[in-house]
Amino acid sequence: MIRTNVSSNTKYYFSDSYKTNDNTKKITLSGNIIQSTLDELWKDKSSNYKYTCFSTTQTGTCTTLAEIQNYINSVSVQVKYHSYLSRSYESTYTNEYNSTIKTKVDSWYKANIEDKGYSKYLSDNIFCNDRSIISGDGFTLNQTTVYSTFDRLINNKSPILKCSRQADQFTISLSNNLGNGELTYPVGLLTIDEAVYASGKYNSNNSLYYLYTGESYFTMSPSEFYTSYATAFIWSVYSTGTLVQWRWVSDIDNIRPVINLNSDILITSGNGTASSPYQIKYN
């Protein structure tokens, strides 16, 4: 497998061995560890330092470890990937571990909503993390997986607000045909389909709709798992207001929690802007 997104000037950490952690599902560099550019370490020679996360952090912990097999040039290398992989496409829906974003969103909710007594104003509505696929197998590194959002928004330009599979319907409660009961609090992120309905467009800047903030932030909609980079990509609203499908899940970015008001809430004043926020009360 060829990895092509290597920076020729960046000094990454490499090691001659690695160790796994069954609890965190992470892989860590171990043994002898050095920092070097790809050229310095591999050009015109073979090296024992063949394991890397392509990270500039010395701890060198990652979910997918690259084992270098052949040097191609200063920005490309043939690798074999090591990772904790799912056993099947169906097993990717077990939702065993909280993502970093979910942990942050839950922490925000507890501090700003739950602990201040505002939870009574909110409803347990569905947050749709659509993980249906149009190509690939959805669980190995053998082929690139393309998720349905990529096809319907880029190729077909047809957003939807329905969440077809119960496993993707993130809620607190669980019923026979609605919600998966996987949430701790009724809070999530925007979906990319919702961003389109709000006037966001793929590959088109827009500063005139309410989702534009001048800052980029993640949605909760997956786009692809790209085999050559051994990483997942997620949709985001970019700082220019455009919708971007290739944001690495390992990127550092902003998040904007989304909550849903109860249906019996009344708006008493305000127009929903930052300078005049809505004032609400129960009916």
Side-chain angles (χ1 to χ4, degrees):
M1 194 173 299
I2 307 299
R3 179 154 184 161
T4 59
N5 64 326
V6 181
S7 171
S8 60
N9 298 320
T10 299
K11 287 183 175 290
Y12 300 106
Y13 280 93
F14 300 83
S15 71
D16 58 5
S17 63
Y18 67 91
K19 58 184 179 181
T20 59
N21 188 316
D22 292 337
N23 293 322
T24 63
K25 305 299 182 183
K26 299 285 188 179
I27 304 176
T28 305
L29 300 182
S30 63
N32 298 309
I33 300 175
I34 63 172
Q35 188 177 23
S36 173
T37 66
L38 184 63
D39 262 3
E40 291 170 345
L41 192 60
W42 279 87
K43 187 177 182 181
D44 301 325
K45 63 184 177 184
S46 179
S47 173
N48 291 327
Y49 294 91
K50 57 184 178 179
Y51 302 109
T52 180
C53 293
F54 285 108
S55 171
T56 56
T57 303
Q58 188 169 3
T59 53
T61 298
C62 50
T63 55
T64 304
L65 181 84
E67 178 184 347
I68 298 175
Q69 298 181 311
N70 289 298
Y71 172 92
I72 298 175
N73 54 47
S74 62
V75 296
S76 303
V77 65
Q78 183 179 2
V79 300
K80 175 183 178 181
Y81 287 116
H82 300 269
S83 177
Y84 281 92
L85 297 176
S86 299
R87 296 178 299 278
S88 66
Y89 176 52
E90 290 73 21
S91 69
T92 64
Y93 292 92
T94 56
N95 301 320
E96 294 182 55
Y97 306 98
N98 285 339
S99 67
T100 301
I101 287 180
K102 183 179 184 300
T103 300
K104 296 293 185 181
V105 167
D106 282 352
S107 178
W108 173 88
Y109 183 94
K110 186 177 187 308
N112 294 279
I113 305 295
E114 179 79 10
D115 291 350
K116 294 181 179 180
Y118 298 143
S119 292
K120 62 185 179 183
Y121 299 113
L122 305 182
S123 61
D124 182 22
N125 286 0
I126 291 171
F127 292 95
C128 186
N129 181 217
D130 182 6
R131 292 169 287 181
S132 59
I133 62 177
I134 60 167
S135 64
D137 59 25
F139 73 102
T140 72
L141 296 175
N142 297 329
Q143 51 188 307
T144 293
T145 292
V146 180
Y147 292 92
S148 296
T149 54
F150 188 99
D151 185 52
R152 68 172 175 263
L153 298 181
I154 294 181
N155 298 330
N156 298 327
K157 296 179 175 57
S158 56
I160 61 173
L161 293 180
K162 292 183 178 180
C163 199
S164 59
R165 297 185 304 175
Q166 190 170 1
D168 293 334
Q169 298 171 4
F170 281 79
T171 56
I172 296 175
S173 60
L174 174 66
S175 66
N176 291 332
N177 55 12
L178 190 66
N180 62 13
E182 297 286 352
L183 292 185
T184 306
Y185 301 111
V187 61
L189 299 181
L190 192 76
T191 70
I192 195 61
D193 297 88
E194 291 169 330
V196 172
Y197 274 115
S199 294
K201 293 183 179 180
Y202 166 68
N203 203 27
S204 178
N205 295 343
N206 184 1
S207 62
L208 300 178
Y209 71 131
Y210 77 96
L211 295 179
Y212 171 80
T213 66
E215 300 284 346
S216 62
Y217 52 92
F218 286 122
T219 73
M220 64 184 296
S221 301
S223 172
E224 290 184 279
F225 187 95
Y226 202 54
T227 299
S228 295
Y229 294 165
T231 192
F233 293 92
I234 194 166
W235 283 92
S236 72
V237 179
Y238 202 54
S239 58
T240 59
T242 187
L243 307 182
V244 180
Q245 87 279 20
W246 281 345
R247 292 305 304 275
W248 298 55
V249 293
S250 57
D251 282 348
I252 297 175
D253 209 343
N254 301 298
I255 54 177
R256 301 184 70 194
V258 174
I259 54 178
N260 297 286
L261 294 176
N262 285 328
S263 59
D264 57 356
I265 292 294
L266 294 178
I267 297 173
T268 59
S269 64
N271 60 16
T273 63
S275 59
S276 179
Y278 291 126
Q279 299 292 312
I280 63 174
K281 73 171 185 178
Y282 271 120
N283 187 1

